């Protein structure tokens, strides 16, 4: 009887709190992997994928392939960032925080600037 209750509690916890089972792989989807200092890059969009858990922009920045992690679908929509704005060949400036590992060409975007229009993904952050 005790083991059955334990099993049911484990199943319930997995349903209600799925991130508990995710372990270190889920850590990427926060901000801990990024530097604290603000960072800015300008490049040309090569590919864009908006969707869950967050969107990704692949950029050519002075001959290097960078990845910019943008917001979740609801956040992108709130900021006015859509597939129509993310056309390959478009110049874009990303403001946010780069990966702590300098070998990783990855930036977590707080703001995306296209043609002078600022798409503020995280207005609560500086």
């Amino acid at each position: 009887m005790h083991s059955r209750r334990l099993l049911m509690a484990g199943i319930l916890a997995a349903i209600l709190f799925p991130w508990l089972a995710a372990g270190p792989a889920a850590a990427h989807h926060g901000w801990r992997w990024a530097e604290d200092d603000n960072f800015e890059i300008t490049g040309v969009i090569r590919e864009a994928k908006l969707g869950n858990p967050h969107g990704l922009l692949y950029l050519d920045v002075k001959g290097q392939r960078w990845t910019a992690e943008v917001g979740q679908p609801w956040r992108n929509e709130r900021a006015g960032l859509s597939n129509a704005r993310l056309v390959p060949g478009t110049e874009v400036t990303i403001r946010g925080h780069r990966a702590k590992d300098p070998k990783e060409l990855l930036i977590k975007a707080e703001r995306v600037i296209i043609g002078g229009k600022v798409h503020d993904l995280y207005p609560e952050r500086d």
Side-chain angles (χ1 to χ4, degrees):
M1 185 75 156
H2 178 70
S3 61
R4 183 176 173 171
R5 283 188 188 151
L6 220 69
L7 176 64
M8 293 304 289
I11 291 171
L12 184 60
I15 292 169
L16 295 176
F17 309 105
W19 63 87
L20 291 175
H28 170 79
H29 295 289
W31 292 82
R32 290 185 295 164
W33 59 269
E35 292 181 346
D36 291 332
D37 295 333
N38 291 325
F39 185 75
E40 180 177 294
I41 60 172
T42 298
V44 176
I45 297 172
R46 292 294 171 225
E47 184 181 357
K49 295 180 180 179
L50 294 183
N52 283 313
H54 49 74
L56 296 171
L57 305 180
Y58 300 99
L59 310 173
D60 179 351
V61 179
K62 298 180 182 177
Q64 294 181 312
R65 182 179 165 98
W66 277 76
T67 301
E69 181 181 296
V70 294
Q72 304 92 336
W74 66 268
R75 188 178 299 278
N76 295 330
E77 184 177 332
R78 181 188 70 189
L81 195 61
S82 66
N83 285 319
R85 302 277 301 150
L86 303 172
V87 178
T90 302
E91 185 176 89
V92 61
T93 297
I94 307 290
R95 291 184 185 155
H97 301 269
R98 78 168 293 167
K100 287 179 182 176
D101 180 352
K103 295 177 190 165
E104 195 171 5
L105 303 180
L106 174 64
I107 182 172
K108 174 80 171 180
E110 290 179 339
R111 286 159 194 82
V112 177
I113 304 163
I114 303 171
K117 177 165 176 42
V118 177
H119 300 274
D120 199 356
L121 300 170
Y122 293 89
E124 68 279 6
R125 296 181 66 95
D126 63 7

